[in-house]
Amino acid sequence: MSSKKPKTRASRLERLGLRSDMDFVLHLPMRYEDETRVVPIREAQFMTGSAQVEGVVMSSGIQYRPRRQLVVSIADETGELFLRFLHFYASQLKQLAVGSRVRVRGELRQGFFGGEMVHPAYRVVAEGTPLPAALTPVYPSTEGISQTQLRKEIAAAMARVNLQDTLPDTLLMHLNLPVFADAIRLLHNPPPDVDEHALAERTHPAWQRVKFDELLAQQLSMKRAHTRRRQQIAPQLSASGDVTRGLLEALPFILTAEQSRVVAEISESMQKPYPMQRLLQGDVGSGKTVVAAMAAAQAIDSGTQVAMMAPTEILADQHFQRVAEWMAPLGVDVAWLTGGMKKKDRQSVLSRIASGKARLVIGTHALIQDEVHFDSLGLVIVDEQHRFGVGQRLMLRNKGESGHDSVPHQLMMSATPIPRTLAMTYYADLDVSVINELPPGRTPVITRLIDRNRRDEVIKRIHAAALSGRQIYWVCPLIEESETLQLQTAVETHAALKEALPDLNVGLVHGRLRQAEKQAVMDAFAGGEIHLLVATTVIEVGVDVPNASLMIIEHAERFGLSQLHQLRGRVGRGDAESICLLLYQAPLGETAKQRLMTMRETSDGFAIARRDLEIRGPGEFLGARQSGVAMLRFADLQKDADLIEASQDMAQALLDEPGEAAQAIVESHLNRWLGGFEDFLKA
């Protein structure tokens, strides 16, 4: 019996990430309660927020009207107060017996019984029990672990652990930061005269020190990962060859200055003897695919294979159709691999890949399956990289290591621009290339917000646009009926629009169609046979139909900013005026209102990304990239930009400084914050 209890408690603590003493030390309060003073009951009735009072129990018992509850009255010399517990245990009846003295904390309000507190925090005390000398910390917790237990565990860990500073005094003075031990002790036990606002807003110097240390550990880890990657061996890919030259000549357009600059950056990196790990970011329609094709051509010219992975079959097929059209006339065998292929076709493709005959392989997650073997993989390209986990990208990259001493170069692409502070933290281990302009001929998209009540007007507009020779997208967020969200479904919308527009050809595409069915619909739309395409978000990326100039997004308030921006990017690819109509369901919540207003005000992907980061935080941009790696717990990417820059500078200075002293600082700091473990070579 006794062996099971500690194990259960340990597993609960482990859910909070609490294993070592330092884990407990760095488990910092999420807020504080002021239990350093008791106010008279009469005075508490005029206070806003929580108050702490003390009194003697005058009556205590279970009442059954208006519902079963424990009602306790306490009194001091100034007045009486009722405590109401809707959920209670039998033990509480004994604790709160008449004559007991209790110290109670909660929000006082006028209720059914008069002045009352509902489910207050309380404890039985003796008369004259001293008050705490510091604010009471409230820690992040989990079921089965009380605040009292956490406080005891943290206090014990604080007594055992070495809080000696990892950073020298000179650096702390330069940054005007307090000593680590002082900062930690203050955060766990703040004195009554502390600036509570600075504590709550995390602008207090003690919080600044903790946030700086966390950021410094992250920067050191990322920069060391970057350095250690350069100790690996990769194939040096020649910058010129027949395929590269032929592709440039065959393209039906001239590369923009930005595209040429980025192609040169990637080309230079792939000529190095260590693996490139580069993120290529550019707004919707900026030409990332042609840049990736140029990188693939360089790898193929150098005698290696290229794998290009996309998150959806529609996007993978779009890449295959376009890149094969460019490469096949140059004698390049381009293979297509997805999970839905027939077994015979699949075996044929696998054989071409294993023999090295297929020089460029484009596909979905099927590329990372065990049965896929490359002869000489020199370059891995991952599109919409935030949709893949670390493990998935690593599995694809490892396809190039089997039987070889080298690892392939890796190019990751994202149409979601990464805000600067995010790039400086979570992407600090990567080289980043940015395409900062759109190719000529892209038409600006006009965005308008339309209440769903005006749906009939929108349908008339669709009809007029189709009769003038233009094509239209209508995007719905769900496939099937959902009673909870009550959103218009793609299937229902398709049926309703077919009925409302009988003279138009209305198509339907969604993720549950078979690949052949999806492709047939997309081909018909691209060929102009379908006037109006009703779709789910499977068309979010990779779909390029220049004649489509009108986009309707139903229930736009349900989409994230980056998703809305991606969908809007499906139009404006030809020379006709393009419009995006965001149909919303009133009333709008504050977050949804901010998103839609942002879409109306700007088409700048970087401005939208910054706004998205403010509204939703970093998860939208990171996707599964940091799988298994803790997000920043204390630092805030918006509020702490100055600390990010300072930590970046200090990390570089420490890593650049020769000698054992600087190395010892790095090791001790990483050991404190990362527990001696670093995921150095992230995919």
Side-chain angles (χ1 to χ4, degrees):
M1 291 289 289
S2 60
S3 63
K4 286 187 177 179
K5 286 184 179 178
K7 185 178 180 184
T8 303
R9 190 153 157 267
S11 65
R12 286 172 175 167
L13 289 169
E14 198 163 318
R15 281 207 299 270
L16 293 169
L18 303 177
R19 300 174 187 86
S20 68
D21 282 346
M22 188 52 70
D23 291 335
F24 282 96
V25 169
L26 295 176
H27 192 68
L28 298 177
M30 57 183 180
R31 59 186 174 86
Y32 300 89
E33 291 178 345
D34 187 358
E35 297 180 350
T36 61
R37 68 187 187 115
V38 167
V39 298
I41 288 175
R42 179 174 294 175
E43 182 182 323
Q45 298 190 41
F46 301 100
M47 294 175 62
T48 56
S50 291
Q52 182 170 246
V53 299
E54 188 174 310
V56 176
V57 176
M58 308 304 292
S59 66
S60 177
I62 300 172
Q63 296 190 8
Y64 293 91
R65 291 184 179 179
R67 58 174 291 183
R68 186 176 185 273
Q69 56 192 304
L70 172 62
V71 178
V72 179
S73 74
I74 66 169
D76 65 6
E77 55 273 14
T78 70
E80 185 180 28
L81 174 67
F82 288 92
L83 314 178
R84 198 150 58 93
F85 300 90
L86 305 178
H87 309 286
F88 58 92
Y89 298 99
S91 59
Q92 288 177 272
L93 273 170
K94 294 180 181 178
Q95 287 178 330
L96 297 170
V98 173
S100 300
R101 175 174 288 275
V102 290
R103 194 169 285 170
V104 184
R105 180 174 177 78
E107 194 166 330
L108 195 148
R109 67 184 192 185
Q110 293 303 310
F112 188 80
F113 300 99
E116 68 175 19
M117 289 182 182
V118 179
H119 280 289
Y122 73 90
R123 64 188 181 107
V124 178
V125 295
E127 189 171 2
T129 299
L131 291 163
L135 298 180
T136 303
V138 179
Y139 295 98
S141 190
T142 189
E143 184 182 1
I145 299 294
S146 69
Q147 289 294 317
T148 302
Q149 285 177 305
L150 273 175
R151 289 171 193 140
K152 285 181 180 176
E153 293 275 8
I154 289 167
M158 291 277 287
R160 290 190 298 264
V161 81
N162 180 4
L163 295 177
Q164 183 179 348
D165 225 297
T166 57
L167 304 180
D169 293 342
T170 50
L171 286 178
L172 295 178
M173 289 174 61
H174 174 69
L175 294 165
N176 198 25
L177 291 172
V179 171
F180 178 76
D182 294 346
I184 286 292
R185 290 189 182 109
L186 184 142
L187 291 175
H188 284 297
N189 297 288
D193 61 348
V194 74
D195 183 340
E196 288 190 50
H197 178 75
L199 213 54
E201 292 297 312
R202 298 192 171 188
T203 56
H204 191 282
W207 270 120
Q208 295 294 100
R209 172 62 203 268
V210 166
K211 290 193 283 189
F212 177 80
D213 276 20
E214 177 184 47
L215 287 164
L216 178 61
Q218 187 198 48
Q219 289 293 327
L220 287 169
S221 175
M222 290 286 194
K223 287 179 183 295
R224 291 216 320 193
H226 191 271
T227 300
R228 293 191 178 192
R229 191 174 295 119
R230 298 195 170 198
Q231 296 168 1
Q232 294 179 309
I233 299 169
Q236 292 179 260
L237 306 180
S238 170
S240 62
D242 294 340
V243 177
T244 305
R245 284 191 296 270
L247 178 58
L248 264 179
E249 293 169 3
L251 288 175
F253 50 82
I254 298 172
L255 295 183
T256 66
E258 279 290 287
Q259 290 167 347
S260 296
R261 176 183 59 77
V262 171
V263 166
E265 287 178 358
I266 295 169
S267 175
E268 184 180 0
S269 292
M270 293 196 302
Q271 293 175 63
K272 301 284 174 56
Y274 49 81
M276 172 183 75
Q277 192 84 345
R278 186 173 291 274
L279 174 66
L280 169 60
Q281 56 175 330
D283 212 341
V284 177
S286 60
K288 296 182 296 298
T289 304
V290 72
V291 170
M294 291 300 299
Q298 180 174 339
I300 292 165
D301 271 328
S302 301
T304 65
Q305 292 170 287
V306 179
M308 186 174 190
M309 184 167 69
T312 67
E313 289 191 351
I314 284 182
L315 178 54
D317 184 70
Q318 183 83 29
H319 286 320
F320 176 72
Q321 299 290 346
R322 186 179 301 173
V323 178
E325 184 183 340
W326 296 335
M327 294 283 201
L330 304 175
V332 177
D333 185 333
V334 184
W336 160 253
L337 185 67
T338 64
M341 297 178 73
K342 293 179 181 177
K343 187 175 181 180
K344 183 179 178 183
D345 295 336
R346 183 179 183 79
Q347 288 303 321
S348 173
V349 172
L350 291 174
S351 175
R352 284 161 57 203
I353 296 170
S355 68
K357 181 181 178 183
R359 309 309 297 165
L360 172 58
V361 187
I362 299 174
T364 56
H365 300 76
L367 289 174
I368 62 177
Q369 292 178 354
D370 291 342
E371 59 186 346
V372 181
H373 301 282
F374 287 84
D375 177 55
S376 58
L377 186 59
L379 173 63
V380 166
I381 301 170
V382 181
D383 198 8
E384 291 300 303
Q385 57 85 29
H386 62 282
R387 296 197 182 191
F388 294 99
V390 168
Q392 290 172 317
R393 293 197 303 274
L394 189 59
M395 285 169 71
L396 183 57
R397 194 191 72 185
N398 288 346
K399 295 286 184 185
E401 295 188 47
S402 180
H404 298 275
D405 294 329
S406 65
V407 297
H409 300 279
Q410 185 163 256
L411 177 65
M412 294 174 284
M413 303 196 293
S414 176
T416 303
I418 310 299
R420 182 170 175 269
T421 51
L422 199 63
M424 289 169 65
T425 52
Y426 289 100
Y427 291 94
D429 60 329
L430 302 180
D431 295 315
V432 180
S433 291
V434 182
I435 304 176
N436 272 322
E437 67 178 359
L438 294 180
R442 287 300 300 267
T443 311
V445 180
I446 299 163
T447 303
R448 292 187 180 140
L449 311 184
I450 308 283
D451 191 299
R452 272 188 82 236
N453 292 331
R454 297 172 59 192
R455 187 184 176 93
D456 290 344
E457 294 176 40
V458 173
I459 291 174
K460 287 179 183 176
R461 180 164 197 158
I462 285 173
H463 193 248
L467 292 180
S468 70
R470 296 299 163 189
Q471 290 171 276
I472 306 102
Y473 295 102
W474 187 300
V475 179
C476 304
L478 293 178
I479 301 168
E480 296 172 347
E481 181 60 42
S482 166
E483 291 178 3
T484 52
L485 296 179
Q486 295 181 335
L487 299 181
Q488 194 77 16
T489 67
V491 174
E492 286 180 341
T493 302
H494 176 249
L497 289 173
K498 278 188 77 170
E499 185 178 344
L501 302 164
D503 55 332
L504 299 187
N505 190 358
V506 183
L508 172 65
V509 65
H510 56 71
R512 297 193 185 174
L513 289 177
R514 292 178 180 173
Q515 174 58 20
E517 294 174 303
K518 277 190 282 193
Q519 198 53 54
V521 174
M522 295 308 301
D523 288 345
F525 187 62
E529 299 168 33
I530 292 176
H531 302 101
L532 169 61
L533 180 63
V534 178
T536 58
T537 54
V538 294
I539 60 118
E540 181 183 342
V541 290
V543 178
D544 187 4
V545 180
N547 192 47
S549 60
L550 180 58
M551 166 72 71
I552 295 98
I553 304 176
E554 182 121 29
H555 281 290
E557 75 277 6
R558 298 283 181 177
F559 291 88
L561 256 180
S562 65
Q563 209 170 28
L564 287 171
H565 183 56
Q566 289 274 15
L567 288 166
R568 179 171 61 182
R570 298 309 104 208
V571 294
R573 292 171 172 257
D575 19 2
E577 179 184 68
S578 294
I579 297 171
C580 179
L581 302 180
L582 303 178
L583 291 187
Y584 66 88
Q585 176 78 58
L588 288 174
E590 188 55 40
T591 299
K593 194 181 294 181
Q594 288 180 47
R595 282 199 297 259
L596 297 186
M597 293 301 289
T598 300
M599 288 296 295
R600 189 174 72 176
E601 290 163 6
T602 183
S603 59
D604 181 339
F606 282 91
I608 287 170
R610 284 192 297 272
R611 191 79 185 101
D612 208 12
L613 184 61
E614 291 170 17
I615 295 172
R616 294 169 63 129
E620 175 74 14
F621 301 88
L622 297 172
R625 175 170 200 270
Q626 295 292 323
S627 176
V629 183
M631 301 281 279
L632 288 172
R633 289 180 288 166
F634 309 122
D636 183 285
L637 294 179
Q638 271 76 48
K639 297 177 183 176
D640 301 318
D642 55 335
L643 289 177
I644 293 172
E645 293 199 24
S647 66
Q648 191 177 41
D649 292 343
M650 181 177 283
Q652 196 61 59
L654 286 170
L655 292 171
D656 287 345
E657 187 174 328
E660 294 181 3
Q663 183 64 22
I665 292 171
V666 171
E667 295 298 339
S668 63
H669 195 80
L670 285 173
N671 187 56
R672 170 169 288 172
W673 281 91
L674 299 181
F677 172 77
E678 285 182 83
D679 185 11
F680 286 121
L681 300 177
K682 298 185 185 72

